[in-house]
Amino acid sequence: DDGSNAAPSPEQPTCAVCLEQLDPPSRGADGERAAMPCCDRDGATMAFCVGCVDIICSQGPGGVGRCPKCRALVRRSNDGARGVFVGAELQGTCRMCLQSRTIVDVERNVCDACELGARHALRYECRACAATQRIPHPMWRYQPSAATFGNVTWACQRCGDYTNWRVHPDDADGVPLGDAPESWDVRERWLEDVRRTRNEGRGRREEDAGGFVDGAHGYGGWNVRMRRANGGAKFRF
Ligand SMILES: [Zn+2]
Ligand SMILES: [Zn+2]
Ligand SMILES: [Zn+2]
Ligand SMILES: [Zn+2]
C-alpha cells in the first residue's frame, strides 16, 4: 500500500468518532459515511461512519441513539437502505409515564426515557432525607452534573413526597455516557467507548475477511423483540 502515509483528502473525510478515513460511497457498508437526518447538510464538516452510528444506536433504547454532534435521537432507516439514519420522530403518549415523548418501543408504546430507565434503574439519593432509592427513570438527565441534585422531582418513599435526586456515587458509572447531559462533559469518554467497540468489530471483521450480507445484522426495524430476547429491557412497574 503506497498511500499509507497520505493525509486524508478533503473528498474522503474521517469519521469524527473512530477517526478512520471514510470509504467511498458504495453500498452503505460500515466504513462509509452515514447519512444522518441532522448533521449531514451539504458542506457539513463533520461526518460519521455507518459502523459508529450503528454502535451508538444499538446501545440506545429500542435501537435509538444520539447523534454524536447535536444529540438528536436517530435510528436506522426502516426502508432497508443501509447506512441511512433517520430522526426518531415517533412522538406519542408513553403508556408508562403518560408523557408525550419519543416512542422507541412501538409494540408496547414506551418512550425512550422509560425504556432507558428500565435498563439503567440506578440508585439515587434523596435531597430531603438522604435516603437511597432505586428509580426506573433516567433521573440523571435532570442533573447539571453527576454530583448535583436534579431539577425534576420523583416520589421519595421515605419522605412520602416528591423530592429532588442525584445518582448515588456507587451507581454513577451506570449512567450511559451517550445519554448524560452535555454539561457533564463526558462526550469524549462516550466517543472513546464507541471507538473502542468499533475498532474491536473492525478487527473481527478483518479476521473473517468474508464481509457480510446486507441485512444480516437484523437491523432495519425496531428490533425490540430481539433486544428483549437478548436480556435487554425488563419492565417491573
Ligand atoms: Zn467511525
Ligand atoms: Zn446531528
Ligand atoms: Zn415514558
Ligand atoms: Zn426522601
Side-chain angles (χ1 to χ4, degrees):
D1 177 55
D2 54 355
S4 56
N5 60 352
S9 67
E11 295 78 30
Q12 304 282 58
T14 55
C15 168
V17 179
C18 66
L19 310 178
E20 294 287 327
Q21 190 166 350
L22 294 167
D23 294 335
S26 166
R27 300 163 55 241
D30 279 3
E32 295 175 29
R33 182 179 187 141
M36 300 291 282
C38 46
C39 297
D40 201 23
R41 308 272 178 264
D42 280 344
T45 51
M46 194 169 292
F48 317 108
C49 74
V50 174
C52 283
V53 184
D54 257 352
I55 288 166
I56 288 168
C57 288
S58 68
Q59 290 175 346
V64 172
R66 288 191 188 276
C67 167
K69 186 176 183 213
C70 72
R71 299 176 56 81
L73 291 172
V74 302
R75 62 172 176 78
R76 266 191 165 274
S77 165
N78 269 332
D79 68 8
R82 275 194 54 75
V84 178
F85 296 84
V86 297
E89 285 157 344
L90 185 65
Q91 296 290 319
T93 303
C94 168
R95 77 173 184 87
M96 293 285 180
C97 64
L98 305 180
Q99 307 283 314
S100 178
R101 294 181 190 268
T102 301
I103 301 298
V104 295
D105 183 338
V106 288
E107 283 172 36
R108 303 173 66 248
N109 220 17
V110 174
C111 77
D112 68 304
C114 288
E115 174 100 15
L116 205 56
R119 281 167 63 168
H120 305 271
L122 307 180
R123 287 169 300 165
Y124 293 83
E125 185 187 332
C126 172
R127 179 158 73 183
C129 73
T132 298
Q133 184 175 319
R134 196 170 290 280
I135 299 180
H137 185 85
M139 299 297 285
W140 63 77
R141 285 184 173 181
Y142 318 120
Q143 294 182 226
S145 73
T148 317
F149 288 96
N151 56 7
V152 167
T153 58
W154 187 273
C156 173
Q157 286 159 8
R158 189 196 277 179
C159 292
D161 198 2
Y162 286 86
T163 59
N164 298 87
W165 299 85
R166 70 177 171 197
V167 67
H168 192 280
D170 291 348
D171 278 9
D173 284 346
V175 174
L177 293 176
D179 199 73
E182 195 86 72
S183 56
W184 288 36
D185 204 20
V186 292
R187 184 202 298 253
E188 273 314 306
R189 271 176 58 204
W190 171 41
L191 297 185
E192 265 169 36
D193 276 1
V194 176
R195 190 178 307 145
R196 196 175 311 118
T197 306
R198 176 80 173 95
N199 288 334
E200 284 164 6
R202 208 190 309 270
R204 270 199 303 279
R205 193 152 305 125
E206 275 161 15
E207 281 164 31
D208 293 350
F212 51 90
V213 182
D214 276 359
H217 283 13
Y219 286 117
W222 291 89
N223 241 352
V224 170
R225 212 171 290 130
M226 185 174 291
R227 279 178 168 284
R228 252 185 255 139
N230 288 343
K234 288 195 187 73
F235 293 92
R236 290 187 205 286
F237 282 88

